[in-house]
Amino acid sequence: MAGFGSLSLADLPLCLCGLMQMCVLIFVGTNGETYFNTVALVSCVQNFPKSRGPVVGILKGFAGLGGAILTQIYAMIHSPDHASLIFMVAVGPAMVVIAVMFIVRPVGGHRQVGPTDGISFTFIYSVCLLLAAYLMGVMLVEDLVDLNHTFITIFTVILFILLLIPIAIPMSLSFCLEPRAPEEETLLCEPQKQELDRLRQDPSEVIFSELEDEKPKEVDLLPASERQKRIAQLQAKLFQAAAEGAVRVRRRRGPHRGEDFTLMQALIKADFWLIFFSLLLGSGSGLTVIDNLGQMSQSLGYDNTHIFVSMISIWNFLGRIGGGYFSEVIVRDHAYPRPVAMAVAQLIMAVGHLLFAMGWPGAMHIGTLLIGLGYGAHWAIVPAAASELFGLKKFGALYNFLTLANPAGSLVFSGVIASSIYDHEAEKQAHQQLQQQQNWGSIFSGTFSVDEPLKCEGAICFYLTSLIMSGFCIIAFVLSMILVYRTKIVYAHLYGKTSTTRLT
């Protein structure tokens, strides 16, 4: 009963009831965020399948900046009642979703790709960078200077203007219709689309094993529209030969990489687990730093720990934006697997962890930069890569399963490894201080109390933890490179001009 202080037994049921209500509310709130993430990602990735990297990077980047944006809005409201903040967070996002649910709709065919897409995404990237720099400046000014409410209101109005600027792109495209090339219009007609959907849904779908053997090599060198016609002619001939019993037919045992997978089908694929464990090691080590950033900075002698928290939030945002951009350059310009960008991010994080372990002057600032960029890049690269390798039909289930790697890594790395090592070093320092006091006599008695919380000082507090995290990032790098090697053919087929190897 000591844990409840001076509460009487009569008050205990009321307190337990309130505690249960808070648990239910936290459960609903945190799971509601997952629904927002899933709906936004699935809708945008399906509508922009040719620009998955930029789309995911921008969405995940704004998700990271959401807290800073809502904090600025609440500072403008300037309400002393904390319940109004909870009300704003609960009602505000729901109102936005209800407002845009009538605007966001599936986009198909030639409308998924436009000649101005590159310029549009570049413009949005510029706005994102400007927004990140602006928020960083506003947070520093508000932290260092005691501003009156008028200046805070002006800062918030400018923030709203920056947030509304990207709306100019869809509005301009709506009023200025883009001319379409004739080849963009020669897509599958509606009956062919219905037939294709019927074949994909048919569990007894069959494929012809001889198709790739009989197909002439020059077919792959033809333009896309002509190549489709030649392949359709070959398929028609094989259908006729199969009906006459002249061709061997085998049943298909599941989709190939690059096609639509269900979650159960993806779970038996080695590539899926390579992504999962690479994400677990990479993002888990990064989240360990984020969770313990306050203690890490205090152990190295820094007083203003919130500065590093703000900095890593901005670097996290820039990592998500940059990860989506550079991974898209890799797959678009070089037809190389997107996971190679994740491997580079994990190497960057390994260097950041080593800097934390060394504890050199300025290492805290550089390490925060590297860890924030690398951690953020994971959440722009992984969803895009998963949608490319395992399709968009069940992307929501696939993405949410992969996100389990984040809390799993944090639970093991932060909750077990980092905390255990920190407590061990803190106990060792406390024991040494107690021995020194006993050796020096009773003059210093009372300067140390066993009831005080354990506190560790110096680079030794997170030295071993940082080395372990760096090792995990190197293992994640190896897993990512194995995935790169295994998926070269897939990305050559998806983004290369020609592909003569059948996906298996």
Side-chain angles (χ1 to χ4, degrees), residues 193-211:
K193 290 181 180 179
Q194 294 175 357
E195 179 66 16
L196 184 60
D197 291 338
R198 184 190 65 79
L199 289 175
R200 286 178 177 174
Q201 295 172 0
D202 187 1
S204 61
E205 179 189 6
V206 296
I207 62 173
F208 297 99
S209 58
E210 286 82 8
L211 180 57

Side-chain angles (χ1 to χ4, degrees), residues 212-348:
E212 292 294 326
D213 298 330
E214 298 297 331
K215 184 179 66 175
K217 292 183 178 180
E218 59 269 16
V219 171
D220 290 316
L221 303 177
L222 296 173
S225 57
E226 185 65 25
R227 185 168 65 248
Q228 285 286 68
K229 293 179 181 179
R230 293 292 299 275
I231 292 176
Q233 293 173 358
L234 285 173
Q235 287 178 337
K237 293 179 180 179
L238 286 173
F239 266 113
Q240 183 178 0
E244 297 173 355
V247 176
R248 174 173 57 88
V249 179
R250 64 179 174 88
R251 293 190 178 277
R252 189 169 186 172
R253 295 184 178 179
H256 299 301
R257 291 173 298 180
E259 300 177 357
D260 290 326
F261 281 72
T262 64
L263 179 59
M264 296 306 297
Q265 289 171 335
L267 288 176
I268 62 175
K269 293 296 182 181
D271 293 338
F272 187 80
W273 289 108
L274 284 172
I275 295 177
F276 181 85
F277 285 110
S278 179
L279 179 63
L280 186 147
L281 295 173
S283 68
S285 64
L287 194 58
T288 300
V289 172
I290 296 174
D291 291 341
N292 297 277
L293 196 58
Q295 286 183 322
M296 294 176 72
S297 56
Q298 286 179 352
S299 65
L300 293 177
Y302 293 96
D303 295 327
N304 297 326
T305 59
H306 61 279
I307 296 296
F308 295 102
V309 176
S310 301
M311 286 174 57
I312 204 169
S313 299
I314 300 299
W315 305 142
N316 183 15
F317 168 77
L318 294 177
R320 299 183 184 207
I321 296 294
Y325 175 79
F326 288 110
S327 67
E328 194 70 16
V329 171
I330 291 171
V331 299
R332 287 288 167 198
D333 296 347
H334 306 285
Y336 205 71
R338 193 183 297 269
V340 74
M342 187 165 65
V344 173
Q346 288 157 351
L347 275 184
I348 292 174

